[in-house]
């Protein structure tokens, strides 16, 4: 297969994210030492190394294995890349009789396999749903990537993006003035379309809401349609909001590297922007892994001192009306407004569409949304049903926590890995084809920027029109009737 191995990050990129510029001379010892540190720090990792009974329940659950038929893409085989090294250096039988217990020396060949196969895992966690021991391959992948980075063998795509967001504030490297221009262009577009002046505010002191959204929302189709949708919702609800030029990115690729320091640095930009602007709450736009970081990590990333009025404080969240609890997902926000009848929606505006929904992994499997059980499943679907007359779910074994990854998550969204991406999309494309054939579905909504970018690229490989993917707030945007509930 071509395009199965991403480019290695060059010295400049590595240095910008505080890793060695190239594979260090004593890489073997450094890798084992870092592995030992991670095993000591993360008890779950050691449990995952020890607990597998090779039952095989996970083998055919990974979209990359289904799509590529490469046995090394079976989740258990991916874990085994690290587990065999773990046995060799961290268990007595592995030290004494390595050949008998499947223990392996960490050779350069093994390290190359790590680089290749731990970058063919989107950290989607589907396999863990089927593992009777709850072994999470995503955490193994994150640990492996952290070890690779530590010895100077990092991935170009992910680390380049990390460098940009830490320096400029977003994954695209879009500076503040360019962002302002883009936003004012969008305001003109909305006014031309609707006759209503809907604002796209940035750096507004004292706004009630800080919206952090994936930077793809600022300029590329179909993402920008969702941004327009958010703006229309805020406008009709009469809630003051702002974007921030300092924190103009919701995405946080630190999660993909398994590096909590990087994750923290990016999250802290958002916290700082919220403090500087004096907002009351932070709302996260349509981005799967950003929501996972916000939901699962923001409270702890700030450190022990976070409390009181700190925008990431769990104490503050507990004091707030659940409706305004933070972090809040844009879908929770819109859903609440719909339930309260605060939005004027014309479902017929979406009658040209037969809509299905793709659950994004990081929302469906790794985070909650709203207070109701299963909210992350229910909320986006209830929004779609409130703004469109025709909704069809995909086959049961491909929705909710059993959803298939789009094939581009976890830092795999690079053309270096195009073949892997196309093949990894196979199970989702088959499910989509089923509802297209049976129900004439012509629009697949999702709430993740990576899913949108990945599908736009791979849909044509499966004979679909790339324009059939879009955000949930694209549907909201088309249904909302401005000027009538203000
Ligand atoms: S891509 Fe998903 S299903 Fe495949 S091994 Fe990684 S976490 Fe498991
Ligand atoms: S399902 Fe769990 S225990 Fe079974 S082979 Fe996979 S990782 Fe191992």
């Amino acid at each position: 297969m071509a395009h199965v191995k991403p480019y290695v990050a060059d010295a400049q990129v590595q240095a910008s994210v505080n890793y060695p510029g190239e594979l260090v001379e004593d890489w073997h010892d450094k890798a084992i030492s870092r592995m030992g540190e991670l095993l000591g720090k993360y008890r779950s990792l050691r449990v995952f190394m020890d607990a597998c009974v090779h039952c095989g329940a996970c083998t055919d659950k990974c979209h990359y294995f289904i799509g590529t038929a490469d046995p090394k893409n079976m989740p258990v085989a991916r874990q085994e890349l690290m587990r065999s090294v773990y046995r060799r250096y961290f268990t007595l039988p592995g030290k004494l009789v390595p050949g008998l217990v499947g223990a392996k020396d960490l050779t350069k060949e093994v390290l190359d396999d790590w680089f290749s196969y731990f970058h063919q895992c989107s950290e989607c966690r589907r396999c863990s749903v089927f593992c009777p021991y709850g072994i999470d391959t995503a955490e193994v992948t994150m640990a492996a990537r952290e070890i690779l980075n530590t010895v100077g063998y990092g991935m170009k795509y992910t680390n380049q993006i990390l460098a940009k967001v830490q320096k400029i504030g977003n994954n695209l490297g879009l500076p503040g003035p360019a962002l302002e221009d883009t936003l004012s262009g969008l305001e003109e577009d909305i006014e031309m379309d609707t006759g209503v002046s809907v604002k796209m505010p940035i750096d507004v002191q004292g706004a009630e809401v800080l919206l952090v959204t994936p930077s793809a929302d600022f300029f590329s189709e179909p993402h920008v349609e969702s941004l327009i949708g958010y703006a229309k919702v805020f406008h009709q609800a009469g809630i003051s909001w702002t974007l921030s030029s300092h924190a103009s990115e919701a995405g946080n690729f630190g999660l993909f590297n398994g590096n909590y320091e990087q994750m923290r640095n990016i999250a802290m930009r958002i916290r700082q922007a919220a403090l500087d602007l004096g907002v009351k709450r932070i709302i996260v736009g349509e981005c799967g892994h950003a929501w996972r970081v916000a939901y699962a990590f923001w409270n702890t990333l700030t450190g022990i001192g976070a409390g009181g009025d700190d925008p990431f404080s769990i104490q503050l969240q507990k004091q707030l009306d659940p409706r305004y609890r933070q972090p809040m997902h844009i879908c929770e926000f819109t859903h609440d407004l719909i339930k309260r009848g605060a939005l004027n929606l014309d479902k017929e505006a979406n009658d040209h569409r037969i809509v299905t929904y793709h659950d994004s992994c990081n929302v469906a499997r790794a985070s909650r949304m709203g207070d109701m059980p299963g909210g992350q499943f229910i909320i986006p679907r209830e929004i779609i049903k409130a703004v469109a007359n025709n909704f069809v779910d995909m086959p049961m074994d491909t929705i909710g926590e059993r959803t298939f990854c789009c094939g581009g998550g976890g830092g795999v969204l690079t053309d270096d890995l195009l073949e892997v991406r196309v093949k990894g999309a196979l199970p989702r494309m088959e499910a989509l084809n089923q509802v297209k054939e049976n129900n004439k579905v012509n629009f697949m909504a999702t709430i993740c920027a990576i899913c949108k970018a990945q599908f736009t690229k791979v849909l044509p490989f499966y004979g679909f029109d790339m324009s059939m993917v879009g955000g949930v707030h694209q549907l909201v945007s088309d249904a909302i009737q401005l000027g009538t509930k203000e």
Side-chain angles (χ1 to χ4, degrees), residues 51-59 76 79 83 127 130-133 135:
C52 177
V53 293
H54 292 87
C55 69
C58 64
T59 49
V76 64
Q79 297 162 21
R83 194 173 281 125
C127 49
F130 298 88
C131 174
Y133 296 93
I135 295 172

Side-chain angles (χ1 to χ4, degrees), residues 285-293 329 360-363 367 447-450:
E286 293 182 356
C287 180
H289 79 279
W291 178 240
R292 181 176 177 199
V293 173
H329 193 282
S360 303
C361 314
N362 277 301
V363 180
S367 50
I447 53 171
C448 175
I450 286 178

Side-chain angles (χ1 to χ4, degrees), residues 208-209 234 237 239 280-283 291 316-342 369-372 379:
E208 185 173 337
V209 170
F234 286 121
I239 291 173
K280 293 195 181 66
R281 48 187 163 140
I282 306 169
I283 293 182
W291 178 240
L316 180 66
Q317 288 184 42
K318 283 181 181 157
Q319 289 159 23
L320 289 170
D321 179 331
R323 273 197 329 230
Y324 304 129
R325 201 192 48 207
Q326 54 188 344
M328 186 177 234
H329 193 282
I330 187 71
C331 283
E332 285 177 88
F333 177 72
T334 299
H335 183 247
D336 175 63
L337 291 168
I338 290 171
K339 277 198 305 184
R340 290 193 280 131
M369 200 195 281
D371 283 334
M372 71 190 83
I379 289 174

Side-chain angles (χ1 to χ4, degrees), residues 32 35-36 39 46 85-92 95:
I32 299 302
M35 192 169 168
L39 287 164
R46 191 176 282 270
V85 174
Y86 162 76
R87 279 194 211 104
R88 177 72 183 91
Y89 298 89
F90 297 94
T91 70
L92 195 58
K95 285 176 187 169

Side-chain angles (χ1 to χ4, degrees), residues 175-190:
L179 185 53
E180 281 173 38
D181 276 359
T182 306
L183 294 173
S184 70
L186 289 174
E187 287 175 352
E188 284 168 23
D189 291 348
I190 301 173

